[in-house]
Every structure is written in structure tokens, then in C-alpha cells.
Amino acid sequence: MYTPSSGGTTDYGAILFSQDLISTSFCATIGGEKALELRSSVIESWEVYSSISYISFGEYLQSSNTITKRSWDIQVVMGTTFTF
């Protein structure tokens, strides 16, 4: 990643990570949807969906090799759609 195509090295990595404090973030999401079968002349299709996400933020302190100031959030989404 920090090596130019002509060979050798660059100082890009040294500049990028030269600060002691690095902001970090992490996000993971899982979700799904299901089409339900209906025997109705009014509704053509009906689908339900949902997802859950975990998001965290922190600061990595290189000098002490620790993560500080953590904050996190969990988000849940649920819904349905109808086609008439």
C-alpha cells in the first residue's frame, strides 16, 4: 500500500500515522427481507424487512496502545411494504 510501483518506499505511511491519536470507527449491519404469500384479490404483494446495525467510535492512542473515548450506538429498522 505504501510502496510506489517504481519500487522503493514513500513517507506516506509515516505522515498518515505520525500523530499519536488516531480516530477509529466500526460498523456492522445485518438485515433481511421476506415476501409473504397472500390469497387476497386486494393486495398483490406484501414484504417485511428488518436490519440491525452496531456502530462504535473511539480514539486509538499509539503511545499507550489503548483505545479511549468509546461511544457506540445500536440502530434497529423494521418495515413493511404493500402493493395493491
Side-chain angles (χ1 to χ4, degrees):
M1 178 173 166
Y2 303 120
T3 304
S5 59
S6 62
T9 60
T10 65
D11 58 356
Y12 176 73
I15 292 171
L16 182 64
F17 298 112
S18 64
Q19 301 296 320
D20 190 32
L21 189 64
I22 299 173
S23 295
T24 63
S25 63
F26 175 78
C27 179
T29 301
I30 187 167
E33 63 181 52
K34 173 72 176 162
L36 303 173
E37 294 182 24
L38 295 174
R39 299 176 195 259
S40 171
S41 60
V42 178
I43 299 174
E44 289 182 22
S45 67
W46 180 22
E47 293 183 357
V48 293
Y49 58 90
S50 65
S51 68
I52 186 167
S53 299
Y54 171 78
I55 305 163
S56 68
F57 299 96
E59 293 178 340
Y60 177 69
L61 195 58
Q62 293 187 82
S63 59
S64 63
N65 209 18
T66 58
I67 295 178
T68 60
K69 293 188 178 180
R70 287 189 187 170
S71 61
W72 58 273
D73 186 26
I74 294 178
Q75 299 176 356
V76 178
V77 175
M78 297 175 72
T80 185
T81 59
F82 294 96
T83 304
F84 296 95

